[in-house]
Amino acid sequence: MATSIRSTAPYTYSVNTLQQDIEKLANFFVDHPRLVVLTGAGISAPSGIPTYRDRHGAWQHRSPIQEQAFLIDEQTRRRYWARSWYGWPLIRDALPNPAHHALASLEAQGRIELLITQNVDSLHQRAGSRNVLDLHGAVGRVRCLTCGAIHCRESIQEQLAGDNVWPTPAGHQPRPDGDMETPDALLDHLVLPLCPLCGGDLKPDVVFFGGSVPRENVASCHEALARADALLAIGSSLMVFSGFRFCRLAAELGKPVALINPGVTRADALACFKLSSLAGPLLTGTLNYLHKDTMRRPSAPGSPS
Ligand SMILES: [Zn+2]
């Protein structure tokens, strides 16, 4: 039997069955024809990319690379590139999962105004989503800090492979941004990758922790939210301000915020409801439910057949 724990109105934390969650989410799509969707690491976890935080919002790994440390400290850059050499293939070879595919289909139906993702794995684009804003960049791109040229991450992998000797990984644990635990001994002799055009230092085209999301990206998100009817956040604890701020903005604009996440999120108090079903089955089921619902409805007089 379904139950629903009611806290301060209007927030409810759903512990319903998958079918009940599907109906609730499908109704949310119908009631709010233009949605902004915000996704986090949880949506890519079934693709084999680990999340940063557990269901209570606590860190699962040693603290990630900090933006400022990467820019000023060569040892931090060595640590990043060494770990990234081992971790990159995990991101490169990961495949979109049913949640990515369902969102691409929902976008194709005109139901999604903008898909904002906190992920750097580009799996939404690979699933076919077109209107995607990579809030924290994409780890598949590398930017030269001197001339600004953008390079393909795979070409930098070849450069790292040619300039260094890489011991066979043993017991390395993959991390969400393609980073991986690596023995410190490797770092002392590591030859850093350099820009093939100007010899400048390189940085993955991502916003590390402590860095700022480009202002124009934030502005694009604000404009999309202003046009949209509601916000749906999926697979994120929203502990990082760069994502949480859109939930706060939606609430300030009087637009409903719905959450799909198995654990605690920073936006729980702002949400009209939260669903705990897994995103893949939930979004796929919602897509099918909406399709059947459209089939059931009679065409309006004069509408194209
Ligand atoms: Zn350059």
Side-chain angles (χ1 to χ4, degrees):
M1 199 64 191
T3 55
S4 173
I5 302 167
R6 290 196 178 276
S7 58
T8 50
Y11 172 69
T12 58
Y13 180 40
S14 159
V15 286
N16 296 337
T17 64
L18 175 61
Q19 189 55 37
Q20 286 167 323
D21 281 358
I22 286 169
E23 289 175 21
K24 186 149 186 131
L25 185 61
N27 285 330
F28 189 70
F29 269 94
V30 170
D31 292 344
H32 307 94
R34 288 171 307 172
L35 283 184
V36 167
V37 175
L38 171 66
T39 66
I43 203 164
S44 290
S47 294
I49 299 172
T51 59
Y52 274 117
R53 292 174 189 272
D54 65 16
R55 58 186 289 119
H56 305 293
W59 289 110
Q60 293 198 78
H61 300 280
R62 212 163 67 184
S63 296
I65 299 265
Q66 298 288 316
E67 179 90 7
Q68 202 56 24
F70 186 94
L71 294 175
I72 62 173
D73 179 31
E74 185 168 316
Q75 194 65 2
T76 299
R77 290 203 289 278
R78 287 174 186 276
R79 188 172 296 118
Y80 174 80
W81 286 113
R83 291 176 179 177
S84 177
W85 193 84
Y86 287 109
W88 163 243
L90 179 89
I91 307 280
R92 180 193 63 200
D93 300 339
L95 296 173
N97 65 58
H100 296 108
H101 288 299
L103 285 174
S105 297
L106 289 162
E107 184 200 75
Q109 293 177 358
R111 299 181 188 276
I112 296 177
E113 181 78 20
L114 177 67
L115 200 168
I116 306 167
T117 185
Q118 300 174 307
N119 301 337
V120 295
D121 52 36
S122 300
L123 287 176
H124 286 300
Q125 290 91 336
R126 288 176 56 198
S129 286
R130 291 164 184 269
N131 200 11
V132 182
L133 194 145
D134 293 315
L135 197 60
H136 297 155
V139 80
R141 299 190 302 258
V142 176
R143 182 184 293 276
C144 173
L145 293 172
T146 302
C147 75
I150 295 286
H151 304 286
C152 162
R153 175 65 183 80
E154 189 60 17
S155 70
I156 303 306
Q157 189 80 348
E158 288 163 15
Q159 196 185 127
L160 281 162
D163 292 344
N164 296 281
V165 176
W166 299 95
T168 306
H172 293 310
Q173 291 299 313
R175 294 152 66 105
D177 52 5
D179 191 4
M180 219 173 204
E181 297 292 346
T182 305
D184 284 349
L186 187 69
L187 303 183
D188 297 336
H189 305 288
L190 187 84
V191 178
L192 285 168
L194 297 173
C195 174
L197 300 179
C198 77
D201 286 322
L202 297 174
K203 180 179 178 288
D205 195 21
V206 300
V207 179
F208 286 121
F209 281 76
S212 299
V213 173
R215 202 172 295 173
E216 62 271 23
N217 286 356
V218 176
S220 297
C221 295
H222 280 212
E223 287 162 16
L225 260 181
R227 291 191 302 268
D229 301 311
L231 173 68
L232 173 64
I234 307 169
S236 175
S237 61
L238 297 163
M239 293 299 170
V240 178
F241 179 73
S242 62
F244 171 70
R245 71 171 128 200
F246 301 119
C247 298
R248 205 171 63 176
L249 177 67
E252 284 168 5
L253 293 171
K255 311 213 174 186
V257 177
L259 307 172
I260 301 172
N261 201 60
V264 174
T265 92
R266 190 178 176 185
D268 284 357
L270 300 176
C272 55
F273 64 84
K274 180 165 75 174
L275 307 176
S276 56
S277 291
L278 292 173
L282 175 53
L283 289 166
T284 305
T286 299
L287 183 66
N288 294 336
Y289 187 95
L290 288 168
H291 179 69
K292 285 180 198 150
D293 192 51
T294 307
M295 294 294 103
R296 275 199 298 270
R297 264 187 230 165
S299 298
S303 66
S305 54

